[in-house]
Amino acid sequence: MQNLLAYDFARLRVAATGSWLSIAHQGKGIGKEMRRAVLHFAFTELGAGAIESTAFTDNTASQRVSLAVGYEPNGVGTSQRRDGVSDTQRFRISRQRWEDTRTGLPIQVEGFEHCRPTFGLES
């Protein structure tokens, strides 16, 4: 599962990503490609200026994926968890950093031009 969330995106140009991958599929590079795909979409199709993400501090695998695709540490936070609350590591990647560091499989987006008005973006 890969998501992209934003509030007032048309004005702020900042969104957040979140992802989940079952244990059976971890460690195969799928998580990195998922994250690269959503970053590509956010920067090339939506015109994002920056993308943010968080990971629980004990989830080193998620943190490594963020770092591997170019996110940089951007502070700490606290989030609700099933068993209470936990500290989180925040990450952020700017458009420029993404352009400077992007790698991976080629990504192509088709048909989005018809959806742009739904996102508050001009055609």
Side-chain angles (χ1 to χ4, degrees):
M1 190 250 343
Q2 178 67 65
N3 63 25
L4 180 66
L5 306 166
Y7 299 95
D8 200 11
F9 180 81
R11 185 170 63 87
L12 300 175
R13 295 293 196 221
V14 176
T17 59
S19 56
W20 176 85
L21 191 60
S22 68
I23 292 173
H25 299 288
Q26 293 177 12
K28 301 176 182 178
I30 297 168
K32 290 177 191 168
E33 290 306 318
M34 289 168 47
R35 197 77 66 87
R36 287 181 179 119
V38 77
L39 290 173
H40 177 88
F41 180 76
F43 288 122
T44 65
E45 301 300 321
L46 299 178
I51 304 297
E52 299 172 340
S53 190
T54 61
F56 288 111
T57 54
D58 61 354
N59 189 343
T60 56
S62 180
Q63 292 179 48
R64 286 182 186 141
V65 168
S66 293
L67 294 169
V69 300
Y71 286 85
E72 298 176 292
N74 189 39
V76 296
T78 304
S79 291
Q80 186 173 341
R81 207 172 191 177
R82 274 180 267 164
D83 55 352
V85 295
S86 293
D87 290 336
T88 58
Q89 173 65 56
R90 294 180 185 149
F91 294 93
R92 182 178 175 96
I93 184 169
S94 67
R95 170 185 286 281
Q96 186 62 55
R97 174 130 173 103
W98 173 74
E99 289 175 354
D100 292 345
T101 62
R102 66 180 175 173
T103 61
L105 300 172
I107 299 168
Q108 184 174 345
V109 177
E110 296 179 7
F112 182 69
E113 62 275 2
H114 304 293
C115 300
R116 293 181 66 74
T118 304
F119 286 78
L121 305 170
E122 294 183 26
S123 302

